[in-house]
Amino acid sequence: MSFQVVHQPEAQRFEAKVEGQLSVADYELHDKVMHMTHTIVPPALQGRGIAAALVKEALAYAREHGLKINPLCSYVRVYMQRHPETQALLAR
């Protein structure tokens, strides 16, 4: 399965359309910190790596733009725990 993750800065989210359904990773940007608030994948699409792809793209964007991450979303928090290379992005 292939899909593209697209950043929608005006909506403050990363999104992917798969099989006509929208999956999103929402954030709020304040003082160079991306507060990752929600990651939503429709039940029919779960388990396909879509949430991981959304979060990976969001973290890459943060790294490229000198932003830190506040993982308010439990999925983002667990993703960052499982990927130690992302720890430097954590807002302290």
Side-chain angles (χ1 to χ4, degrees):
M1 174 181 65
S2 75
F3 57 89
Q4 183 177 4
V5 174
V6 178
H7 184 203
Q8 299 289 351
E10 66 285 349
Q12 294 192 31
R13 71 182 185 193
F14 291 82
E15 62 183 42
K17 267 202 174 162
V18 179
E19 297 176 6
Q21 297 185 67
L22 186 64
S23 299
V24 299
D26 292 320
Y27 67 88
E28 295 176 8
L29 185 60
H30 301 289
D31 299 322
K32 299 200 66 108
V33 175
M34 285 180 70
H35 301 272
M36 301 294 299
T37 56
H38 300 287
T39 304
I40 302 167
V41 176
L45 300 176
Q46 292 177 359
R48 299 186 190 186
I50 298 168
L54 291 167
V55 172
K56 183 178 180 180
E57 191 69 26
L59 298 182
Y61 177 85
R63 186 176 286 111
E64 290 171 21
H65 291 86
L67 304 174
K68 294 294 184 179
I69 299 290
N70 178 10
L72 298 174
C73 168
S74 61
Y75 183 87
V76 176
R77 193 167 35 256
V78 169
Y79 180 97
M80 293 183 78
Q81 289 170 351
R82 290 183 180 162
H83 295 85
E85 70 278 9
T86 67
Q87 295 300 299
L89 292 173
L90 280 172
R92 305 281 178 211

